[in-house]
Amino acid sequence: MTLQGQEIIRNISKTLPKQPGVYQMLDEKGNILYIGKAKNIFNRVKNYVSINSLTRRIQRMVSMTKDMNFFVTNTEFEAIILECNLIKKHKPRFNILLRDDKSFPYIFISSEHNYPRIEKHRGAKDKKGRYYGPFASPDAVNKTINTIQRIFLLRSCTDKEVSAGNKLCFNYYLKRCSGPCGGKISQAEYSKLVESADEFLTSGNYEKIQKKFSNQMFIASEKKNFELAASLRDRLKALKHISQNNSINIKDINDADIFAITTKEGKTCIYGSFYRNNSSYGGKAFYPDHDNLSEVDEIIIGFLNIFYAEKEIPKYIITNIDINKKLDLHVFGKNFEKTKFLRPQKGPKKNLLKFAEENSRINLELKLNKLKSFDNFTNEIKKIFKIDRDIKKIEAYDNSHTFGKFPIGVMIAYNNNGFLKSNYRKFNIKFNIDNNKNTIDDYYMMKEMLIRRFKNIKFSEEIELPDLIIIDGGKGQYNSVKSALDNLNINIPIISMAKGAERDSGREILIHEKVSYRLNNNNPLLHFLQNIRDEVHRFAITTHRSKRSKMSVRSVFDDIEGIGPQRKKILKKHFGTVENIKTASLEDLKQVKSIPFAMLKKIYEYFHST
């Protein structure tokens, strides 16, 4: 088999160009085994012919290869981006996969407003202003923003509140805002606060800012402005606290990422710690998917390649694997040419690496325990209800409405990694209340959801079937869902969770086929199922509220000629709620500059006519 794979690759390689690009290895069924990129496709693919120089994992991949696809690009960087996008789409079994690869959050301060707002930002940097980060998590951003507010009193309130200038926000009274929303500070003074915050975030020079605050506090005290002096004292105290707990005065660590990798039982955790401007920007655990025969250096190199494909690269990357000896820039791409890879053996940097290693080990243990728990729970479900298939993925469904109005349905997904947020789905139910019977047909809503979810399953290879479906309800809901799936010739086990006689948690009855089963209140399996049921219920409620809010604006303005979707959106954004629009004075409405005055007057007259 190996020779056959080698011969196929050898013959194909003879026709390849010596250009940058992406290659795919396919098995006998046309499934993608591996996706790689290369600075020179000819040289890269030719390496697979020398079987003895390959790892066991790659040897196995070569033996399974029956065909190859190629995509030529203009530059190596284009090949990196294409490779990452294709890996995300196809998830080949021999690639290192990073599931949690969302862009990291930043702190953003606008430069287009007289009183810039501090806020959290994720995604493209398409707004004019200053960006600080990246931070490891939204929580790390939120904590830093809270610190900035306490020390530098930058606003987080809306532009509308500042424009009004007649009402102080709640943060002002919490001493976390300088009060531009109530006209308490001039633009010039506020600009000084922004510059100090910028210095704090970019330089990490806490001592200079502390000295400035101390001088200002002394001057305020000399002038007997004790309120200002007390405010500066509190801000100075907060600054000293953050400098003691967050400052990292280590050479070469002002712009560095640290990654520690741990593997056990075929699973891997890579813990990353991120440092910018002599400050810690938090840490995060990653769990890349990979083939069981993958070696540690292959995993870390594959991880870094994907992780930095669309992220800023620091000056230093510190790892517990000696990457320098294995470093090949055609593997990483030219982005890493100015990056120095370190594996410290002693000193402060080694201590930080030890911290990352310990976090990697602990998080991997937690992940393995979670995986074992999932297997234990699904095995117990299989045993109770005599289900003879493996349960790897669970989907749960629920619906919500207000007396038949604004009906929606939702679906969530869960597997051994937890809730799969990218798999969540929303369904706008095509449902009309029966005015004669005045009934709300929950059965129909559940049935419509399942039909729309699975009706095209035979025509789409991208629809991944679950191994178990959970619904909230009794035998009626169960029969409705079962009937829908039977009509589609889809055989997926269903469990319905019906509340007990008093409809309280802990007395749920589980229904499957003709079996009804009640778990003890303290049974961990019950808590596991309740957790999934509660999450789908939460998602249904929040989705319904969002739809109800949007629909209420639409219905209010249906009778006003000239108010289309765009103007509805402008009004909602300016006033916040429909009630605020209804009670707005003509002067308030005139503040909406993008809508003609004649139309604003028509809106005012509509709501204030007798």
Side-chain angles (χ1 to χ4, degrees):
M1 287 291 289
T2 302
L3 290 175
Q4 186 180 359
Q6 279 181 275
E7 287 302 317
I8 290 170
I9 294 173
R10 181 181 285 111
N11 293 333
I12 291 175
S13 67
K14 295 175 182 178
T15 64
L16 296 178
K18 296 180 179 181
Q19 292 177 250
V22 172
Y23 59 93
Q24 297 176 340
M25 294 184 164
L26 313 177
D27 66 12
E28 59 185 0
K29 294 182 179 179
N31 298 317
I32 299 175
L33 296 170
Y34 181 78
I35 298 174
K37 53 128 184 39
K39 187 175 184 178
N40 182 313
I41 295 181
F42 172 79
N43 289 340
R44 182 64 177 146
V45 172
K46 192 172 64 174
N47 291 338
Y48 290 105
V49 177
S50 304
I51 201 73
N52 293 330
S53 65
L54 305 177
T55 64
R56 284 188 302 153
R57 182 177 73 95
I58 301 302
Q59 287 179 11
R60 184 148 65 98
M61 180 184 74
V62 169
S63 73
M64 298 171 65
T65 299
K66 296 294 180 281
D67 198 2
M68 296 185 73
N69 288 335
F70 301 91
F71 306 90
V72 175
T73 60
N74 293 317
T75 65
E76 187 183 4
F77 182 70
E78 287 180 12
I80 292 173
I81 301 302
L82 177 59
E83 177 201 35
C84 290
N85 289 335
L86 290 174
I87 288 173
K88 289 178 185 178
K89 180 179 179 181
H90 297 290
K91 300 179 176 59
R93 60 177 294 188
F94 285 97
N95 278 100
I96 307 301
L97 301 178
L98 180 60
R99 297 197 180 277
D100 188 7
D101 59 349
K102 295 184 294 185
S103 61
F104 277 20
Y106 284 76
I107 286 176
F108 173 69
I109 300 178
S110 171
S111 61
E112 295 185 312
H113 199 282
N114 292 336
Y115 295 93
R117 177 188 183 201
I118 185 168
E119 57 187 297
K120 180 169 62 181
H121 176 85
R122 193 196 292 270
K125 298 177 182 178
D126 52 3
K127 296 190 292 185
K128 292 182 179 179
R130 309 174 193 185
Y131 295 85
Y132 308 92
F135 289 81
S137 66
D139 184 57
V141 171
N142 293 335
K143 286 181 178 178
T144 305
I145 288 177
N146 286 336
T147 299
I148 296 297
Q149 287 180 296
R150 285 162 52 204
I151 298 173
F152 302 105
L153 309 180
L154 299 190
R155 73 178 180 94
S156 60
C157 48
T158 65
D159 293 348
K160 177 179 176 291
E161 290 174 298
V162 176
S163 299
N166 56 6
K167 187 178 180 181
L168 289 165
C169 66
F170 191 58
N171 275 334
Y172 175 81
Y173 297 104
L174 293 177
K175 299 181 180 179
R176 292 186 177 182
C177 178
S178 53
C181 44
K184 291 289 185 178
I185 187 171
S186 68
Q187 184 180 336
E189 288 299 315
Y190 191 86
S191 295
K192 292 179 182 178
L193 296 179
V194 173
E195 292 306 317
S196 294
D198 176 71
E199 185 177 18
F200 174 85
L201 288 166
T202 55
S203 70
N205 191 342
Y206 299 100
E207 292 182 1
K208 183 178 178 181
I209 301 171
Q210 286 175 0
K211 186 176 180 180
K212 185 190 296 184
F213 278 11
S214 295
N215 290 337
Q216 291 176 352
M217 183 174 67
F218 178 76
I219 293 170
S221 180
E222 285 287 303
K223 293 182 178 181
K224 301 188 184 303
N225 189 345
F226 300 117
E227 185 177 352
L228 176 58
S231 173
L232 287 164
R233 178 202 63 202
D234 294 341
R235 291 160 64 189
L236 186 60
K237 184 178 178 181
L239 181 60
K240 286 181 178 178
H241 175 79
I242 196 70
S243 65
Q244 291 169 359
N245 290 277
N246 204 43
S247 181
I248 307 292
N249 295 313
I250 301 174
K251 186 180 179 182
D252 299 339
I253 204 70
N254 63 323
D255 184 20
D257 291 344
I258 299 176
F259 294 101
I261 182 170
T262 304
T263 61
K264 185 178 179 181
E265 298 177 18
K267 300 296 180 182
T268 297
C269 175
I270 297 176
Y271 188 86
S273 297
F274 309 95
Y275 297 90
R276 300 292 185 274
N277 309 315
N278 294 316
S279 297
S280 170
Y281 276 18
K284 187 172 183 178
F286 302 89
Y287 306 95
D289 291 343
H290 55 81
D291 184 76
N292 288 337
L293 295 178
S294 298
E295 297 184 3
V296 174
D297 58 314
E298 290 180 289
I299 298 171
I300 191 75
I301 288 174
F303 166 83
L304 293 174
N305 197 20
I306 295 176
F307 181 81
Y308 286 112
E310 298 177 4
K311 294 183 178 72
E312 295 176 7
I313 302 172
K315 294 178 182 177
Y316 297 90
I317 293 178
I318 299 172
T319 66
N320 62 337
I321 300 296
D322 197 344
I323 292 210
N324 269 324
K325 292 181 180 178
K326 302 177 182 297
L327 181 60
D328 188 349
L329 287 176
H330 86 266
V331 174
F332 277 98
K334 63 181 180 181
N335 288 328
F336 289 88
E337 290 178 353
K338 296 181 179 179
T339 299
K340 187 173 182 180
F341 291 84
L342 304 174
R343 188 188 180 189
Q345 301 301 314
K346 59 183 180 179
K349 288 199 257 324
K350 175 62 175 178
N351 292 334
L352 291 176
L353 183 58
K354 278 185 177 179
F355 173 79
E357 287 177 321
E358 183 67 9
N359 274 285
S360 176
R361 184 188 64 77
I362 292 172
N363 279 281
L364 183 57
E365 290 291 343
L366 292 172
K367 171 64 74 172
L368 289 172
N369 289 335
K370 188 174 183 179
L371 294 176
K372 290 173 184 176
S373 296
F374 181 84
D375 290 341
N376 290 338
F377 289 140
T378 54
N379 286 335
E380 191 173 350
I381 290 171
K382 289 165 61 178
K383 183 178 178 181
I384 291 172
F385 296 108
K386 296 180 174 56
I387 297 172
D388 59 0
R389 64 193 291 171
D390 288 336
I391 299 175
K392 301 297 183 182
K393 180 184 177 185
I394 299 171
E395 287 183 0
Y397 294 81
D398 197 8
N399 56 60
S400 183
H401 54 81
T402 303
F403 301 109
K405 294 182 179 179
F406 319 121
I408 60 94
V410 299
M411 178 206 89
I412 67 166
Y414 189 96
N415 67 5
N416 56 13
N417 290 310
F419 290 108
L420 305 172
K421 297 295 179 73
S422 61
N423 284 195
Y424 284 22
R425 296 290 181 269
K426 304 173 185 177
F427 302 87
N428 283 314
I429 302 297
K430 301 165 185 176
F431 168 81
N432 292 310
I433 189 169
D434 187 332
N435 291 319
N436 295 324
K437 297 182 180 179
N438 200 32
T439 58
I440 301 163
D441 197 339
D442 284 333
Y443 302 152
Y444 170 82
M445 295 173 72
M446 191 66 73
K447 193 171 183 177
E448 182 184 319
M449 260 195 297
L450 271 294
I451 291 173
R452 287 167 59 185
R453 166 72 174 124
F454 294 111
K455 68 179 179 180
N456 294 321
I457 196 72
K458 295 179 181 178
F459 308 103
S460 174
E461 296 180 357
E462 296 183 3
I463 299 179
E464 182 185 354
L465 285 171
D467 304 300
L468 177 68
I469 290 174
I470 295 176
I471 58 173
D472 188 18
K475 289 184 178 180
Q477 279 85 355
Y478 178 90
N479 292 333
S480 178
V481 171
K482 187 71 167 62
S483 171
L485 294 185
D486 287 346
N487 290 336
L488 294 170
N489 293 318
I490 293 175
N491 181 27
I492 300 175
I494 306 161
I495 291 179
S496 180
M497 294 184 68
K499 293 284 181 63
E502 299 175 8
R503 296 190 61 77
D504 59 335
S505 290
R507 299 181 61 83
E508 287 90 348
I509 299 171
L510 307 180
I511 302 167
H512 172 71
E513 298 293 349
K514 296 181 180 180
V515 178
S516 296
Y517 195 88
R518 173 172 285 162
L519 296 167
N520 294 330
N521 289 3
N522 59 355
N523 191 317
L525 175 58
L526 178 61
H527 301 155
F528 170 75
L529 294 171
Q530 286 174 336
N531 185 37
I532 296 175
R533 191 268 317 276
D534 292 345
E535 169 63 7
V536 71
H537 186 62
R538 178 205 63 79
F539 189 45
I541 293 297
T542 55
T543 303
H544 170 66
R545 285 174 179 166
S546 175
K547 180 180 179 180
R548 186 175 62 191
S549 176
K550 292 176 182 176
M551 293 296 289
S552 63
V553 175
R554 187 177 296 113
S555 60
V556 163
F557 292 105
D558 279 346
D559 295 334
I560 306 177
E561 186 179 349
I563 301 295
Q566 189 60 35
R567 286 176 175 172
K568 293 172 190 174
K569 186 176 180 180
I570 292 169
L571 288 165
K572 181 70 184 300
K573 183 177 180 180
H574 184 89
F575 289 98
T577 67
V578 176
E579 283 303 313
N580 288 343
I581 301 172
K582 289 180 179 179
T583 57
S585 66
L586 188 56
E587 289 299 315
D588 292 334
L589 288 165
K590 284 169 65 177
Q591 299 302 315
V592 185
K593 304 298 184 183
S594 53
I595 297 180
F597 175 72
M599 187 57 62
L600 295 170
K601 187 176 180 182
K602 185 184 291 187
I603 294 170
Y604 176 80
E605 291 173 349
Y606 176 84
F607 289 118
H608 293 81
S609 60
T610 55

